[in-house]
Amino acid sequence: MSAVKPEIIAIGPADAERLQQISRQTFIETFASVNTKDNIRHYVEENLSLATLTAELNNSDSQFYLASSEGKAIGYLKVNVNAAQTEIKNADCLEIERVYVVRTFIGKQVGQILFEKAMEIARNLKVNYVWLAVWEENPRAIRFYEKNGFKIFDKHIFKLGNDMQTDIMMKLELN
């Protein structure tokens, strides 16, 4: 597949509806085929609601970036520092909470470009390491992060509706 060179822009609260559309689309594309409809619906309604996303966009410890091609959103990135982090809340690290790409753009380097944006932020913040959690049943994502130097260091439970799933926690030391 040929690479796409998306435009990457920082987004804020005024972009909440656009973020909601791409968030819901990519989450459903990524996980609907391997989870129940009820669990997907519950997660989307609760975690990807306009109110929830607006609150996240207003959090100064989180940053969102939208990837677009020809004016159409094709992916997004969310990174967290300090108290916005979902698990580890150290000042010396950055969490990549979400890297999602529209299905038709997977394999076209969009995820890599979003990942590189996260790494640029981490270097600018001079953090010691970057960490993330990825579902153990998502081997493509695990391989992607391993290819980029991440190592497994722990596991935690991620609740999707009434399903308790295991996420693999991975990190990349920067210093």
Side-chain angles (χ1 to χ4, degrees):
M1 292 188 160
S2 61
V4 171
K5 180 69 172 142
E7 178 184 14
I8 306 296
I9 58 165
I11 59 173
D15 303 296
E17 288 181 8
R18 193 171 186 201
L19 176 62
Q20 183 185 39
Q21 189 280 322
I22 188 73
S23 297
R24 287 179 170 203
Q25 177 185 351
T26 55
F27 188 84
I28 291 167
E29 286 179 352
T30 304
F31 299 113
S33 67
V34 290
N35 288 282
T36 68
K37 285 183 184 178
D38 283 346
N39 285 341
I40 293 291
R41 180 186 47 75
H42 182 268
Y43 182 87
V44 167
E45 287 176 0
E46 191 167 297
N47 298 85
L48 303 178
S49 70
L50 206 50
T52 299
L53 292 172
T54 299
E56 291 178 2
L57 286 161
N58 277 309
N59 186 333
S60 62
D61 284 339
S62 295
Q63 295 179 45
F64 284 85
Y65 294 86
L66 193 66
S68 62
S69 178
E70 300 176 7
K72 182 174 169 42
I74 60 171
Y76 78 102
L77 165 70
K78 179 184 181 194
V79 296
N80 300 314
V81 294
N82 302 320
Q85 295 180 84
T86 59
E87 186 100 4
I88 301 168
K89 299 191 188 296
N90 294 342
D92 66 343
C93 62
L94 176 133
E95 174 192 18
I96 299 175
E97 185 179 352
R98 300 179 197 144
V99 175
Y100 282 96
V101 176
V102 171
R103 179 179 288 152
T104 55
F105 285 88
I106 290 175
K108 297 184 178 185
Q109 298 300 306
V110 177
Q112 186 67 41
I113 291 166
L114 287 167
F115 170 79
E116 289 167 6
K117 180 65 179 177
M119 297 309 295
E120 173 189 321
I121 295 163
R123 286 189 298 275
N124 288 341
L125 292 173
K126 296 179 173 44
V127 298
N128 292 325
Y129 65 96
V130 176
W131 74 276
L132 55 89
V134 58
W135 188 29
E136 68 181 354
E137 300 293 330
N138 191 348
R140 178 192 298 242
I142 294 167
R143 281 192 309 273
F144 173 82
Y145 292 116
E146 287 176 336
K147 178 187 77 151
N148 280 288
F150 279 72
K151 305 282 188 229
I152 295 169
F153 73 96
D154 205 351
K155 293 181 179 185
H156 73 181
I157 299 299
F158 177 83
K159 188 174 180 197
L160 183 73
N162 64 9
D163 189 16
M164 299 301 200
Q165 300 181 348
T166 302
D167 278 353
I168 295 171
M169 297 172 68
M170 304 177 81
K171 76 177 174 179
L172 176 64
E173 300 282 347
L174 298 181
N175 296 334

